[in-house]
Every structure is written in structure tokens, then in C-alpha cells.
Amino acid sequence: MKGLEAVQFVALLLVAVGAWAVVAAREPLRQAIVASIYGLILGVLFFAFQAPDVALSNIVIGAVAVPVIILLAIAKVRSDRSTGQ
């Protein structure tokens, strides 16, 4: 197995483990954090398969934007519950 193929294989294994970790996380806050890490792992996978433009896009969206939106939604729901709305 060549060096690049080994990196690709490890990246695929990390994606599989990361996907399981996102599904296994039951608490919404923890799931958002694990999903962010999963977005980074997917970025590494795309980079390993020589798609750096897709990797950068995925890191911005999957590791930053989506988790921030999820965390803002969780904060909004919690503040609505505490005010009784």
C-alpha cells in the first residue's frame, strides 16, 4: 500500500468512526460539537482525495457554520423555555 493510499484509508476509517460518534451522541450540545469535529474529518478526507476546494468549503460549512447555527438554535430554545414562551 502506497503512502497516499494509506492516508486515504485512514481518512475513510476516521469518517466511519466519526459518523458513528455523531449518531451515538444523544445530548444536542455534545452532538453539535461532535458534528463539528466530523466536518473537519470530512475536510481531511476530501483533501486526501485531492479535492482541496471541496475540503475548504466543507470545513467552512460543516465544521463552522452548521454547528454555530445548531448552537444558536439550542440557546434560543433554552431561553424560550426559561422565559416561559
Side-chain angles (χ1 to χ4, degrees):
M1 191 181 303
K2 297 179 185 174
L4 185 61
E5 291 175 356
V7 170
Q8 290 172 345
F9 180 74
V10 169
L12 284 169
L13 284 177
L14 286 174
V15 166
V17 171
W20 176 83
V22 171
V23 173
R26 294 291 178 201
E27 186 179 323
L29 181 61
R30 185 170 298 184
Q31 195 171 30
I33 293 169
V34 174
S36 177
I37 295 168
Y38 182 65
L40 286 173
I41 294 171
L42 279 176
V44 170
L45 175 73
F46 290 137
F47 190 74
F49 279 97
Q50 300 175 358
D53 52 340
V54 178
L56 289 173
S57 299
N58 187 70
I59 289 171
V60 169
I61 300 300
V64 178
V66 171
V68 166
I69 291 170
I70 293 170
L71 292 174
L72 289 172
I74 291 170
K76 175 69 174 158
V77 168
R78 287 185 179 170
S79 70
D80 286 349
R81 284 185 185 169
S82 67
T83 60
Q85 292 182 356

Coordinates of all heavy atoms in Angstrom, one line a residue:
M1 N 0.9 -1.2 0.0 CA 0.0 0.0 0.0 C 0.9 1.2 0.0 O 1.8 1.4 0.8 CB -0.9 0.0 1.2 CG -2.0 1.0 1.2 SD -3.1 1.1 2.6 CE -3.7 -0.5 2.7
K2 N 0.7 2.1 -0.9 CA 1.5 3.3 -1.0 C 1.1 4.3 0.0 O 0.0 4.2 0.7 CB 1.3 4.0 -2.4 CG 1.7 3.1 -3.5 CD 1.5 3.7 -4.9 CE 1.9 2.8 -6.0 NZ 1.6 3.3 -7.3
G3 N 1.9 5.3 0.2 CA 1.7 6.3 1.3 C 0.4 7.1 1.1 O -0.4 7.2 2.1
L4 N 0.0 7.5 -0.1 CA -1.2 8.2 -0.3 C -2.4 7.3 -0.1 O -3.4 7.7 0.5 CB -1.3 8.9 -1.7 CG -2.5 9.7 -2.0 CD1 -2.6 10.9 -1.0 CD2 -2.5 10.2 -3.4
E5 N -2.4 6.1 -0.5 CA -3.4 5.1 -0.3 C -3.6 4.9 1.2 O -4.8 4.7 1.7 CB -3.2 3.8 -1.0 CG -3.3 4.0 -2.5 CD -2.9 2.7 -3.2 OE1 -2.5 1.7 -2.6 OE2 -3.0 2.7 -4.5
A6 N -2.6 4.8 2.0 CA -2.7 4.6 3.4 C -3.4 5.8 4.1 O -4.2 5.6 4.9 CB -1.3 4.4 4.0
V7 N -3.0 7.0 3.7 CA -3.7 8.2 4.2 C -5.1 8.2 3.9 O -6.0 8.5 4.7 CB -3.0 9.5 3.7 CG1 -3.8 10.7 4.0 CG2 -1.6 9.6 4.2
Q8 N -5.5 7.8 2.6 CA -6.9 7.8 2.2 C -7.6 6.7 3.0 O -8.8 6.9 3.5 CB -7.0 7.5 0.7 CG -6.5 8.6 -0.1 CD -6.5 8.3 -1.6 OE1 -6.5 7.1 -2.0 NE2 -6.4 9.3 -2.4
F9 N -7.0 5.6 3.3 CA -7.7 4.5 4.1 C -7.9 5.0 5.5 O -9.0 4.7 6.0 CB -6.8 3.2 4.0 CG -7.3 2.1 4.8 CD1 -8.4 1.4 4.3 CD2 -6.8 1.7 6.0 CE1 -9.0 0.3 5.0 CE2 -7.4 0.7 6.7 CZ -8.4 0.0 6.2
V10 N -6.9 5.6 6.1 CA -7.1 6.1 7.5 C -8.2 7.2 7.5 O -9.0 7.2 8.4 CB -5.7 6.6 8.0 CG1 -5.9 7.4 9.3 CG2 -4.7 5.5 8.2
A11 N -8.2 8.0 6.5 CA -9.2 9.1 6.5 C -10.6 8.4 6.4 O -11.6 8.9 7.0 CB -9.0 10.0 5.3
L12 N -10.8 7.4 5.6 CA -12.1 6.7 5.4 C -12.5 6.1 6.8 O -13.6 6.1 7.1 CB -12.0 5.7 4.3 CG -12.1 6.3 2.9 CD1 -11.8 5.2 1.9 CD2 -13.4 6.9 2.6
L13 N -11.5 5.5 7.4 CA -11.8 4.9 8.8 C -12.2 6.0 9.8 O -13.2 5.8 10.5 CB -10.6 4.1 9.3 CG -10.3 2.8 8.7 CD1 -9.0 2.2 9.3 CD2 -11.5 1.8 8.9
L14 N -11.6 7.1 9.7 CA -11.9 8.2 10.7 C -13.3 8.7 10.4 O -14.1 9.1 11.3 CB -10.9 9.3 10.6 CG -9.6 9.0 11.2 CD1 -8.6 10.2 11.0 CD2 -9.7 8.9 12.7
V15 N -13.7 8.8 9.1 CA -15.0 9.2 8.7 C -16.1 8.2 9.2 O -17.1 8.7 9.7 CB -15.1 9.4 7.2 CG1 -16.6 9.6 6.7 CG2 -14.3 10.7 6.8
A16 N -15.8 7.0 9.1 CA -16.7 6.0 9.6 C -16.9 6.1 11.1 O -18.0 6.0 11.6 CB -16.3 4.6 9.2
V17 N -15.8 6.2 11.8 CA -15.9 6.3 13.3 C -16.6 7.6 13.7 O -17.4 7.6 14.6 CB -14.5 6.2 13.9 CG1 -14.5 6.5 15.4 CG2 -13.9 4.8 13.7
G18 N -16.2 8.7 12.9 CA -16.9 10.0 13.2 C -18.4 10.0 13.0 O -19.1 10.6 13.8
A19 N -18.8 9.3 11.9 CA -20.2 9.3 11.7 C -20.9 8.5 12.8 O -22.0 8.9 13.2 CB -20.5 8.6 10.3
W20 N -20.3 7.4 13.2 CA -20.9 6.7 14.3 C -21.0 7.6 15.6 O -22.0 7.5 16.4 CB -20.1 5.4 14.6 CG -20.6 4.7 15.8 CD1 -21.7 3.8 15.8 CD2 -20.2 4.8 17.1 NE1 -21.9 3.4 17.1 CE2 -21.0 3.9 17.9 CE3 -19.2 5.5 17.7 CZ2 -20.8 3.8 19.3 CZ3 -18.9 5.4 19.1 CH2 -19.8 4.5 19.9
A21 N -19.9 8.3 15.8 CA -19.9 9.2 17.0 C -21.0 10.2 17.0 O -21.6 10.6 18.0 CB -18.5 9.8 17.2
V22 N -21.2 10.8 15.8 CA -22.3 11.8 15.7 C -23.7 11.2 16.1 O -24.5 11.8 16.8 CB -22.3 12.5 14.3 CG1 -23.5 13.4 14.2 CG2 -21.1 13.3 14.1
V23 N -23.9 10.0 15.5 CA -25.2 9.3 15.8 C -25.3 8.9 17.2 O -26.4 9.0 17.8 CB -25.3 8.1 14.8 CG1 -26.6 7.3 15.2 CG2 -25.4 8.6 13.4
A24 N -24.2 8.5 17.8 CA -24.2 8.0 19.2 C -24.4 9.1 20.2 O -24.8 8.8 21.3 CB -22.9 7.2 19.5
A25 N -24.0 10.3 19.9 CA -24.2 11.4 20.8 C -25.7 11.8 21.0 O -26.3 12.1 20.0 CB -23.4 12.6 20.4
R26 N -26.2 11.7 22.1 CA -27.6 11.9 22.3 C -27.9 13.4 22.8 O -29.0 13.9 22.6 CB -28.2 10.9 23.3 CG -28.1 9.5 22.8 CD -29.1 9.4 21.7 NE -29.0 8.0 21.2 CZ -29.4 7.7 20.0 NH1 -30.0 8.6 19.2 NH2 -29.4 6.5 19.6
E27 N -27.0 14.0 23.5 CA -27.2 15.3 24.0 C -27.0 16.3 22.9 O -26.0 16.3 22.2 CB -26.3 15.6 25.2 CG -26.5 16.9 25.9 CD -25.4 17.0 27.0 OE1 -25.1 16.0 27.7 OE2 -25.0 18.1 27.2
P28 N -27.9 17.3 22.6 CA -27.8 18.1 21.5 C -26.5 19.0 21.4 O -25.9 19.1 20.4 CB -29.0 19.1 21.6 CG -30.0 18.3 22.3 CD -29.2 17.4 23.3
L29 N -26.1 19.5 22.6 CA -24.8 20.3 22.6 C -23.6 19.4 22.3 O -22.8 19.8 21.4 CB -24.7 20.9 24.0 CG -23.4 21.7 24.2 CD1 -23.5 22.9 23.3 CD2 -23.4 22.2 25.7
R30 N -23.6 18.2 22.8 CA -22.5 17.3 22.5 C -22.5 16.9 21.0 O -21.5 16.8 20.4 CB -22.5 16.1 23.4 CG -21.3 15.2 23.2 CD -21.3 14.1 24.3 NE -21.1 14.8 25.5 CZ -21.0 14.2 26.7 NH1 -21.0 12.9 26.8 NH2 -20.8 14.9 27.8
Q31 N -23.7 16.7 20.5 CA -23.9 16.3 19.1 C -23.4 17.4 18.2 O -22.8 17.1 17.2 CB -25.3 15.9 18.9 CG -25.5 15.2 17.6 CD -26.9 14.6 17.4 OE1 -27.8 15.2 17.9 NE2 -27.0 13.5 16.7
A32 N -23.6 18.6 18.5 CA -23.2 19.7 17.7 C -21.6 19.8 17.7 O -21.0 20.0 16.7 CB -23.7 21.1 18.2
I33 N -21.0 19.6 18.8 CA -19.6 19.6 18.9 C -19.0 18.4 18.1 O -18.0 18.6 17.4 CB -19.1 19.6 20.4 CG1 -19.5 20.9 21.1 CG2 -17.6 19.3 20.5 CD1 -19.4 20.9 22.6
V34 N -19.5 17.3 18.3 CA -19.0 16.1 17.6 C -19.3 16.3 16.0 O -18.4 15.9 15.2 CB -19.7 14.8 18.1 CG1 -19.3 13.6 17.2 CG2 -19.3 14.6 19.5
A35 N -20.4 16.9 15.7 CA -20.6 17.1 14.3 C -19.6 18.1 13.7 O -19.2 18.0 12.5 CB -22.1 17.7 14.1
S36 N -19.2 19.1 14.5 CA -18.1 20.0 14.0 C -16.8 19.2 13.8 O -16.2 19.5 12.8 CB -18.0 21.1 15.1 OG -16.9 21.9 14.7
I37 N -16.5 18.4 14.7 CA -15.2 17.6 14.5 C -15.4 16.7 13.3 O -14.4 16.5 12.5 CB -14.9 16.8 15.8 CG1 -14.6 17.7 16.9 CG2 -13.8 15.8 15.6 CD1 -14.6 17.1 18.3
Y38 N -16.6 16.1 13.1 CA -16.8 15.3 11.9 C -16.6 16.1 10.6 O -16.1 15.6 9.7 CB -18.2 14.7 12.0 CG -18.6 13.8 10.9 CD1 -17.9 12.6 10.7 CD2 -19.6 14.1 10.0 CE1 -18.2 11.7 9.7 CE2 -19.9 13.3 9.0 CZ -19.2 12.1 8.8 OH -19.5 11.2 7.8
G39 N -17.1 17.4 10.6 CA -16.9 18.2 9.5 C -15.4 18.4 9.2 O -15.0 18.4 8.0
L40 N -14.6 18.6 10.2 CA -13.1 18.6 10.0 C -12.6 17.4 9.4 O -11.7 17.4 8.5 CB -12.4 19.0 11.3 CG -12.6 20.4 11.8 CD1 -12.0 20.5 13.2 CD2 -11.9 21.4 10.9
I41 N -13.1 16.2 9.9 CA -12.6 14.9 9.4 C -13.0 14.8 7.9 O -12.2 14.3 7.1 CB -13.1 13.8 10.3 CG1 -12.5 13.8 11.7 CG2 -12.8 12.4 9.6 CD1 -13.2 12.9 12.7
L42 N -14.2 15.2 7.6 CA -14.6 15.1 6.2 C -13.7 16.0 5.3 O -13.3 15.6 4.2 CB -16.0 15.5 6.0 CG -17.1 14.4 6.3 CD1 -18.5 15.0 6.2 CD2 -16.9 13.3 5.4
G43 N -13.3 17.2 5.8 CA -12.4 18.0 5.1 C -11.1 17.4 4.9 O -10.5 17.5 3.8
V44 N -10.6 16.7 5.9 CA -9.3 15.9 5.7 C -9.5 14.8 4.7 O -8.6 14.6 3.8 CB -8.9 15.3 7.1 CG1 -7.7 14.3 6.9 CG2 -8.5 16.4 8.0
L45 N -10.6 14.1 4.7 CA -10.9 13.1 3.7 C -10.9 13.7 2.3 O -10.2 13.1 1.4 CB -12.2 12.4 3.9 CG -12.7 11.4 2.9 CD1 -11.9 10.1 3.0 CD2 -14.2 11.1 3.0
F46 N -11.6 14.8 2.1 CA -11.6 15.4 0.7 C -10.2 15.9 0.3 O -9.8 15.7 -0.9 CB -12.6 16.6 0.7 CG -14.0 16.2 0.8 CD1 -14.9 16.9 1.6 CD2 -14.5 15.1 0.1 CE1 -16.2 16.5 1.7 CE2 -15.8 14.7 0.2 CZ -16.7 15.4 1.0
F47 N -9.4 16.4 1.2 CA -8.1 16.8 0.9 C -7.2 15.6 0.6 O -6.4 15.6 -0.4 CB -7.5 17.5 2.1 CG -6.1 18.2 1.8 CD1 -6.1 19.3 1.0 CD2 -5.0 17.7 2.3 CE1 -4.9 19.9 0.7 CE2 -3.8 18.3 2.0 CZ -3.7 19.4 1.2
A48 N -7.4 14.5 1.3 CA -6.6 13.2 1.0 C -7.0 12.7 -0.4 O -6.1 12.1 -1.1 CB -6.9 12.2 2.0
F49 N -8.2 12.9 -0.9 CA -8.6 12.5 -2.2 C -8.4 13.6 -3.2 O -9.0 13.6 -4.3 CB -10.1 12.0 -2.2 CG -10.2 10.6 -1.7 CD1 -10.6 10.4 -0.4 CD2 -10.0 9.6 -2.6 CE1 -10.7 9.1 0.0 CE2 -10.1 8.3 -2.1 CZ -10.5 8.0 -0.8
Q50 N -7.5 14.6 -2.9 CA -7.0 15.6 -3.8 C -8.1 16.5 -4.3 O -8.2 16.8 -5.5 CB -6.2 15.0 -5.0 CG -5.0 14.2 -4.5 CD -4.3 13.5 -5.6 OE1 -4.7 13.5 -6.7 NE2 -3.2 12.9 -5.2
A51 N -9.0 16.9 -3.4 CA -10.1 17.9 -3.7 C -10.0 19.0 -2.7 O -10.9 19.1 -1.8 CB -11.4 17.2 -3.7
P52 N -8.9 19.9 -2.8 CA -8.8 20.9 -1.7 C -9.9 21.9 -1.7 O -10.2 22.5 -0.6 CB -7.4 21.5 -2.0 CG -7.2 21.2 -3.5 CD -7.9 19.9 -3.7
D53 N -10.4 22.3 -2.9 CA -11.5 23.3 -2.9 C -12.8 22.7 -2.2 O -13.4 23.5 -1.4 CB -11.8 23.7 -4.3 CG -12.1 22.5 -5.2 OD1 -11.7 21.3 -4.9 OD2 -12.8 22.6 -6.3
V54 N -13.1 21.5 -2.4 CA -14.2 20.9 -1.7 C -13.9 20.8 -0.2 O -14.8 21.0 0.6 CB -14.5 19.5 -2.3 CG1 -15.7 18.8 -1.5 CG2 -14.9 19.6 -3.8
A55 N -12.6 20.4 0.1 CA -12.3 20.3 1.6 C -12.4 21.7 2.3 O -13.0 21.7 3.4 CB -10.8 19.9 1.6
L56 N -12.0 22.7 1.7 CA -12.1 24.0 2.3 C -13.6 24.4 2.5 O -14.0 25.0 3.5 CB -11.4 25.1 1.5 CG -9.8 25.0 1.6 CD1 -9.2 26.0 0.6 CD2 -9.4 25.2 3.0
S57 N -14.4 24.2 1.4 CA -15.8 24.5 1.5 C -16.5 23.7 2.6 O -17.3 24.2 3.4 CB -16.5 24.2 0.2 OG -15.9 25.0 -0.8
N58 N -16.1 22.4 2.7 CA -16.7 21.6 3.7 C -16.3 22.0 5.1 O -17.1 22.0 6.1 CB -16.3 20.1 3.5 CG -17.0 19.2 4.4 OD1 -18.2 19.0 4.3 ND2 -16.3 18.7 5.4
I59 N -15.0 22.4 5.3 CA -14.6 22.9 6.6 C -15.4 24.1 7.0 O -15.8 24.2 8.2 CB -13.1 23.1 6.6 CG1 -12.4 21.7 6.6 CG2 -12.6 23.9 7.9 CD1 -10.9 21.8 6.4
V60 N -15.6 25.0 6.1 CA -16.3 26.3 6.5 C -17.7 26.0 6.8 O -18.3 26.4 7.8 CB -16.2 27.3 5.3 CG1 -17.1 28.4 5.5 CG2 -14.8 27.8 5.2
I61 N -18.4 25.1 6.0 CA -19.8 24.9 6.2 C -20.0 23.8 7.3 O -20.7 24.0 8.3 CB -20.5 24.4 4.9 CG1 -20.4 25.4 3.8 CG2 -21.9 24.0 5.2 CD1 -21.0 26.7 4.2
G62 N -19.3 22.6 7.2 CA -19.6 21.5 8.1 C -18.9 21.7 9.5 O -19.5 21.1 10.4
A63 N -17.8 22.4 9.6 CA -17.1 22.5 10.8 C -17.4 23.8 11.6 O -17.1 23.9 12.8 CB -15.6 22.3 10.7
V64 N -17.9 24.8 10.8 CA -18.1 26.1 11.5 C -19.6 26.5 11.4 O -20.2 26.7 12.4 CB -17.2 27.1 10.8 CG1 -17.4 28.5 11.5 CG2 -15.7 26.7 11.0
A65 N -20.1 26.7 10.2 CA -21.4 27.3 10.0 C -22.5 26.5 10.6 O -23.3 27.0 11.4 CB -21.7 27.6 8.6
V66 N -22.6 25.2 10.3 CA -23.7 24.4 10.7 C -23.7 24.2 12.3 O -24.7 24.4 12.9 CB -23.8 23.0 10.0 CG1 -24.7 22.1 10.6 CG2 -24.1 23.2 8.5
P67 N -22.5 23.9 12.9 CA -22.6 23.8 14.4 C -22.9 25.1 15.0 O -23.6 25.1 16.1 CB -21.1 23.3 14.7 CG -20.7 22.6 13.5 CD -21.3 23.4 12.3
V68 N -22.5 26.2 14.5 CA -22.8 27.5 15.1 C -24.4 27.7 15.0 O -25.0 28.2 16.0 CB -22.1 28.7 14.4 CG1 -22.7 30.0 14.8 CG2 -20.6 28.6 14.8
I69 N -25.0 27.4 13.9 CA -26.4 27.5 13.8 C -27.1 26.6 14.7 O -28.1 27.0 15.4 CB -26.8 27.2 12.3 CG1 -26.3 28.3 11.4 CG2 -28.4 27.1 12.2 CD1 -26.5 28.1 9.9
I70 N -26.6 25.4 14.9 CA -27.2 24.4 15.9 C -27.1 25.0 17.3 O -28.1 24.9 18.0 CB -26.6 23.0 15.7 CG1 -26.9 22.4 14.4 CG2 -27.0 22.1 16.9 CD1 -26.2 21.1 14.1
L71 N -25.9 25.5 17.6 CA -25.7 26.0 19.0 C -26.6 27.2 19.2 O -27.2 27.4 20.3 CB -24.3 26.4 19.2 CG -23.3 25.2 19.3 CD1 -21.9 25.7 19.3 CD2 -23.7 24.3 20.4
L72 N -26.8 28.1 18.2 CA -27.7 29.3 18.4 C -29.1 28.8 18.5 O -29.9 29.4 19.3 CB -27.6 30.2 17.2 CG -26.3 31.0 17.1 CD1 -26.2 31.7 15.8 CD2 -26.1 31.9 18.2
A73 N -29.5 27.8 17.8 CA -30.9 27.2 18.0 C -31.1 26.7 19.3 O -32.2 26.9 20.0 CB -31.2 26.2 16.9
I74 N -30.1 25.9 19.9 CA -30.2 25.4 21.2 C -30.3 26.5 22.2 O -31.2 26.4 23.1 CB -29.0 24.4 21.5 CG1 -29.1 23.2 20.6 CG2 -29.0 24.1 23.0 CD1 -27.8 22.4 20.7
A75 N -29.5 27.5 22.1 CA -29.6 28.6 23.0 C -30.9 29.3 23.0 O -31.5 29.7 24.0 CB -28.5 29.6 22.7
K76 N -31.5 29.5 21.8 CA -32.8 30.1 21.6 C -33.9 29.3 22.3 O -34.8 29.8 23.0 CB -33.1 30.3 20.1 CG -34.5 30.9 19.8 CD -34.6 32.3 20.3 CE -36.0 32.8 19.8 NZ -36.4 34.0 20.6
V77 N -33.9 28.0 22.1 CA -34.9 27.1 22.7 C -34.8 27.1 24.2 O -35.8 27.2 24.9 CB -34.8 25.7 22.1 CG1 -35.6 24.7 22.9 CG2 -35.2 25.6 20.7
R78 N -33.6 27.1 24.7 CA -33.4 27.1 26.2 C -33.8 28.5 26.8 O -34.4 28.5 27.8 CB -31.9 26.9 26.5 CG -31.6 25.4 26.3 CD -30.2 25.1 26.8 NE -29.9 23.7 26.5 CZ -28.7 23.1 26.7 NH1 -27.7 23.9 27.0 NH2 -28.5 21.9 26.5
S79 N -33.6 29.6 26.0 CA -34.0 30.9 26.6 C -35.5 31.0 26.5 O -36.1 31.6 27.4 CB -33.3 32.0 25.8 OG -33.9 32.1 24.5
D80 N -36.2 30.4 25.5 CA -37.6 30.5 25.4 C -38.2 29.6 26.5 O -39.3 30.0 27.1 CB -38.1 30.0 24.1 CG -37.9 31.0 22.9 OD1 -37.5 32.1 23.2 OD2 -38.0 30.6 21.8
R81 N -37.6 28.5 26.8 CA -38.1 27.7 27.9 C -38.0 28.4 29.3 O -38.9 28.2 30.1 CB -37.4 26.3 28.0 CG -37.8 25.4 26.9 CD -37.1 24.1 27.1 NE -37.4 23.1 26.0 CZ -36.7 22.0 25.9 NH1 -35.8 21.7 26.7 NH2 -37.1 21.2 24.8
S82 N -36.9 29.1 29.5 CA -36.7 29.7 30.8 C -37.6 30.9 31.0 O -38.0 31.3 32.1 CB -35.2 30.1 30.9 OG -34.9 31.2 30.0
T83 N -38.0 31.6 29.9 CA -38.9 32.7 30.0 C -40.4 32.3 29.9 O -41.2 33.1 30.1 CB -38.6 33.8 28.9 OG1 -38.8 33.2 27.6 CG2 -37.2 34.3 29.0
G84 N -40.6 31.1 29.6 CA -42.0 30.6 29.6 C -42.8 30.9 28.3 O -44.0 30.9 28.3
Q85 N -42.1 31.1 27.2 CA -42.8 31.5 26.0 C -43.1 30.3 25.2 O -42.5 29.3 25.0 CB -42.0 32.4 25.1 CG -41.8 33.8 25.7 CD -41.0 34.7 24.9 OE1 -40.5 34.4 23.8 NE2 -40.9 36.0 25.3

